[in-house]
Amino acid sequence: MTMIDSKSKDDKSKEADIRVASKSSDATMTIYEIGDENYTRIIEEIIKNQSQYSLAISNFQSDYIQTIKNVIEAIFQAQKHLVGTNTFNWSNTPLATLYLEQSEALTYNIIRTLATNTKLAINALEAARNSFETSSNVVKAVTEVNTNVVTSWNSFVSNQQQHLFK
């Protein structure tokens, strides 16, 4: 059951204080306090779930990497076994040197690409984090300006009312 109670008419110059009791056992709270409490609970729940989400992603990535590693090892074991049977000695072919050179170049390029990709991803995440911080600061500043404007306006209106009703 919701109850709404406002201050008496004598307190017009003061900020209206709407009180709400969301449950009969709850202490009477302003609607702003209830809203703040509810949003805080939501954020705390997101924080609690975020660590579980991050852990699940991390575990998935580790399992994925281990699976790829196992597949590559199995492929090379099969090739090693095939070469070990002496039915085909590819080490003496002209392609062996070319393969080794290309394999080294590819490995080097992939490692360089991974390092660059990691740096870019970290920089992008840092930029996004800074953007959130900037957005938060902007919201605080706008809220402060709006509060000052409303306070000034209320003061002006209150003064005008006092002059009119004297």
Side-chain angles (χ1 to χ4, degrees):
M1 181 168 124
T2 304
M3 299 181 329
I4 298 178
D5 177 26
S6 60
K7 291 185 176 186
S8 69
K9 293 179 184 178
D10 297 334
D11 293 334
K12 283 184 179 179
S13 64
K14 295 182 181 175
E15 179 180 315
D17 188 18
I18 299 172
R19 300 252 175 215
V20 177
S22 58
K23 295 179 187 170
S24 58
S25 63
D26 287 348
T28 303
M29 300 170 64
T30 67
I31 195 166
Y32 303 107
E33 291 169 334
I34 291 171
D36 182 46
E37 183 180 295
N38 287 337
Y39 284 115
T40 300
R41 285 180 23 220
I42 290 169
I43 295 300
E44 287 172 356
E45 192 66 25
I46 289 171
I47 291 169
K48 183 175 77 175
N49 291 330
Q50 180 62 34
S51 62
Q52 295 170 357
Y53 180 71
S54 296
L55 181 62
I57 289 174
S58 180
N59 289 341
F60 174 78
Q61 288 173 327
S62 295
D63 290 347
Y64 174 78
I65 291 168
Q66 188 60 46
T67 300
I68 296 297
K69 184 178 177 182
N70 291 344
V71 167
I72 291 170
E73 287 175 359
I75 289 170
F76 280 99
Q77 276 296 342
Q79 290 177 356
K80 186 177 177 182
H81 180 70
L82 179 64
V83 171
T85 60
N86 290 329
T87 52
F88 178 73
N89 187 0
W90 77 281
S91 298
N92 293 331
T93 66
L95 295 177
T97 306
L98 181 62
Y99 171 79
L100 291 175
E101 288 173 1
Q102 288 180 351
S103 177
E104 285 292 321
L106 180 63
T107 300
Y108 174 76
N109 287 335
I110 288 174
I111 290 171
R112 253 187 41 214
T113 301
L114 289 172
T116 302
N117 186 37
T118 300
K119 286 178 186 175
L120 287 173
I122 289 170
N123 289 342
L125 290 170
E126 185 65 24
R129 189 180 73 76
N130 289 339
S131 177
F132 288 141
E133 187 176 321
T134 301
S135 296
S136 178
N137 291 338
V138 167
V139 167
K140 285 179 185 176
V142 167
T143 301
E144 184 177 332
V145 167
N146 286 343
T147 301
N148 290 339
V149 167
V150 168
T151 302
S152 296
W153 178 253
N154 284 341
S155 176
F156 173 75
V157 169
S158 177
N159 286 336
Q160 293 302 314
Q161 287 177 348
Q162 288 176 1
H163 290 304
L164 287 175
F165 295 114
K166 281 187 179 182

